[in-house]
DNA sequence: CACGCCCGATACCGCGCGGGTATCGTCCCT
DNA sequence: AGGGACGATACCCGCGCGGTATCGGGCGTG
């Protein structure tokens, strides 16, 4: 109804390409909605901007100067956004990550966020296994990309994804080539343990996932790396959400009867820093979006 | 996701009012979506624009210069639209109307269209009762606001509304104070007739609505005015869609068993004049919108 | 000090619009 | 005459925006 920058962006693309199909590709969309949008723009203005003939598309006289003005407007808008981004640039955003960094979605996320706020200094901080909040409460990080469940008092959380939980085995383990395992099959193994100081809900979650039966307790691990090394050197079993890349010599096998974890982005409930909100927003649409909390 | 003028319009309104409720009222919307939009804008930019304290809203330093730039951008956009409207201004749009001009929706429509395209010369032309297309095919009018049904070959149509059909009686008619009538009750009256030359479907529609039985044929009428006068002077009965205002001395009574008409906007199928499209678009949203054809 | 009001934030819902796929019509070029 | 290129049309679906209802906090007032 009212003039919007989107319409102008579309128009500019077509005006520059003089070809609806190519323009649509440049805009990362398909041709029909683009055609429709241009017609709507023309209807809105009450004037024809393009001369469509089967032998190509041409600008009408009105289209010519309209393009120049539109281009100027778009450039000005871009400068405005850049200026605002620069103003936010003084800030530093520290994001805590529980995952080992091999998560494809996570890297896409920080990449997307960095290119949206090029001037912001994004610090990524690997979290301690004992604290899934990555020190949110103490202010150590501004926002955490982590796994549930944990104590959420004073923390806002937005669910992003649900990951199946599986076992990390040495590749030469007799069970390592199985497609899927049940907990009972691993009942006689040694499992790593979380430190006593760990978040209660968090600890309870992983302990509940531990198979019943005569279980020999494995070493206490503090980081993801330690956990993986424990598997390699001690023959313990590691529990983990679905993992992207794993160091050589280790294999991930899904567990059929282990409750899944949820990947969440979390931030201190009191903070309403726009950068934090922006990060959450980008996260929500980088992942397949989820329902908030 | 991308910066849009709407966000800037919202921001500017709040920046000028320094009060979300008032700004929302100025924007013809309610406060919650406005608050949300502003927060999203801030998140998008990664910077706070307002200082919210319970004792009022204030601009942050960033917000101050952002407002100036945004204001400039919006003004430039407005000028662009005005310029485009002026370019279309050479054109004249002739609108044919079958209704007698007392239709509230119709006048709202041309009003809305005129203020969207202030430079366009809008000519309204009352149609002949014989031709519901108002001379669309002959190019007499560019677009017609009329009633169905009629021969639609070569004509594009968009349905806008459905109107009940009723009888127009003299106010001193014994039946004039009834809430609703059935056709049979009027079987012995004289009915006006359409000229032989009228559109066949159109003529058939009104004839079909005519009550069966020993019917005395009334005068042939060519315009709505003639039709109303015929009721006044000759005691004939007029058939009509729901009418807004009627001249004094006449009364409209709905007919329970007459098939309703549809109000449509119609234009020559070959024309793809942006102004015509614009008119249709405005019509569709002025009325309660309908499904196209 | 409690109660009530003002105002922005949040929760949740419904619908229109923007984007998708499938298909058509038309012109051009063999 | 046939096929390919390209814009237009038809139809469908999911998301975003705007709506209503409600919350929460801060201040004024009796």
């Amino acid at each position: 109804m009212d003039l919007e920058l989107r319409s102008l962006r579309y128009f500019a693309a077509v005006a520059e390409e003089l070809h609806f199909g190519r323009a649509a590709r440049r805009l990362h969309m398909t041709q029909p909605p683009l055609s429709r949008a241009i017609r709507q723009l023309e209807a809105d203005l009450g004037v024809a901007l393009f001369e469509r003939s089967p032998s190509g598309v041409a600008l009408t006289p009105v289209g010519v100067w309209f393009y120049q003005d539109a281009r100027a407007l778009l450039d000005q808008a871009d400068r405005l956004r850049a200026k605002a981004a620069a103003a936010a640039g003084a800030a530093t955003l520290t994001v805590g990550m529980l995952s080992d960094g091999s998560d494809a979605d996570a890297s896409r996320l920080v990449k997307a966020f960095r290119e949206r706020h090029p001037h912001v200094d994004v610090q990524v901080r690997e979290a301690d296994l004992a604290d899934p909040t990555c020190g949110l409460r103490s202010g150590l990080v501004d926002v955490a990309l982590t796994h549930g469940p944990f104590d959420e008092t004073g923390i806002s959380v937005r669910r992003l994804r649900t990951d199946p939980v599986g076992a990390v085995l040495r590749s030469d383990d007799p069970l390592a080539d199985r497609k899927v395992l049940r907990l009972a099959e691993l009942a006689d193994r040694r499992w790593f343990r979380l430190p006593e100081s760990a978040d209660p809900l968090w600890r309870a979650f992983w302990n509940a996932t531990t198979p019943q039966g005569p279980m020999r307790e494995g070493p206490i691990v503090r980081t993801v790396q330690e956990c993986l090394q424990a598997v390699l050197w001690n023959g313990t079993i590691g529990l983990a959400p679905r993992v992207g890349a794993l160091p050589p010599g280790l294999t991930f096998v899904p567990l059929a009867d282990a409750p899944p974890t949820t990947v969440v982005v979390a931030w201190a409930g009191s903070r309403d820093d726009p950068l934090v909100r922006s990060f959450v927003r980008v996260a929500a649409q980088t992942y397949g979006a989820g329902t908030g909390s």
Side-chain angles (χ1 to χ4, degrees), chain A:
Chain A
M1 178 100 181
D2 245 344
L3 190 58
E4 283 301 335
L5 287 185
R6 174 180 356 199
S7 322
L8 297 186
R9 278 188 264 267
Y10 289 0
F11 165 72
V14 178
E16 282 156 13
E17 297 285 348
L18 289 178
H19 186 288
F20 280 77
R22 275 198 302 276
R25 235 172 294 128
R26 233 183 65 178
L27 294 165
H28 305 111
M29 61 189 291
T30 53
Q31 169 260 325
L34 178 59
S35 286
R36 191 179 44 183
I38 297 294
R39 290 198 99 79
Q40 281 176 359
L41 175 63
E42 289 177 316
D44 201 40
L45 299 170
V47 75
L49 298 171
F50 291 108
E51 208 69 76
R52 285 103 161 153
S53 77
S55 54
V57 176
L59 281 166
T60 62
V62 175
V64 171
W65 63 253
F66 191 84
Y67 169 70
Q68 294 167 351
D69 287 20
R71 185 74 269 166
L73 202 66
L74 291 173
D75 292 344
Q76 195 173 337
D78 281 348
R79 280 196 300 275
L80 179 57
R81 178 140 118 284
K83 207 165 145 190
T92 297
L93 190 77
T94 308
V95 12
M97 292 190 36
L98 183 72
S99 59
D100 53 347
S102 68
D103 185 357
D105 278 340
S107 64
R108 271 175 41 221
L109 164 55
V110 308
K111 182 162 158 292
F113 183 81
R114 278 204 167 105
E115 78 185 22
R116 168 167 312 196
H117 302 291
H119 298 267
V120 172
D121 183 16
V122 180
Q123 293 286 349
V124 176
R125 201 177 176 293
E126 297 255 335
D128 195 295
L129 262 188
D131 179 20
T133 70
C134 311
L136 258 187
R137 264 179 271 262
S138 61
L140 207 61
V141 303
D142 299 308
V143 59
L145 200 61
T146 179
H147 293 265
F150 51 83
D151 178 16
E152 295 184 4
T153 57
I155 289 185
S156 298
V157 156
R158 177 143 183 184
R159 274 155 249 285
L160 297 176
R161 211 178 57 195
T162 301
D163 275 357
V165 164
V168 176
L169 307 172
R170 292 178 55 154
S171 298
D172 57 5
D173 193 290
L175 296 178
D177 53 353
R178 294 278 296 276
K179 283 279 179 297
V180 64
L181 286 171
R182 319 199 113 260
L183 283 171
E185 304 182 77
L186 296 167
D188 57 342
R189 307 301 188 98
R190 297 171 64 210
W191 297 79
F192 77 82
R193 288 175 299 149
L194 293 174
E196 298 284 345
S197 59
D199 182 289
L201 263 82
W202 172 247
R203 199 148 175 274
F205 176 78
W206 291 111
N207 284 346
T209 308
T210 279
Q212 309 80 316
M215 179 196 75
R216 289 154 65 201
E217 293 189 339
I220 289 176
V221 293
R222 301 212 137 267
T223 72
V224 178
Q225 299 309 324
E226 272 184 39
C227 174
L228 298 181
Q229 286 190 352
V231 176
L232 268 179
W233 304 134
N234 300 335
T236 34
I237 302 294
L239 271 176
R242 176 188 60 142
V243 174
L246 222 44
L250 291 178
T251 305
F252 174 82
V253 182
L255 283 165
D257 48 358
T261 358
T262 56
V263 181
V264 303
V265 55
W267 65 102
S270 53
R271 299 284 300 282
D272 71 340
D273 183 340
L275 275 183
V276 172
R277 282 180 180 270
S278 180
F279 188 88
V280 174
R281 200 170 157 69
V282 175
Q285 57 198 31
T286 300
Y287 289 66
T291 48
S293 148

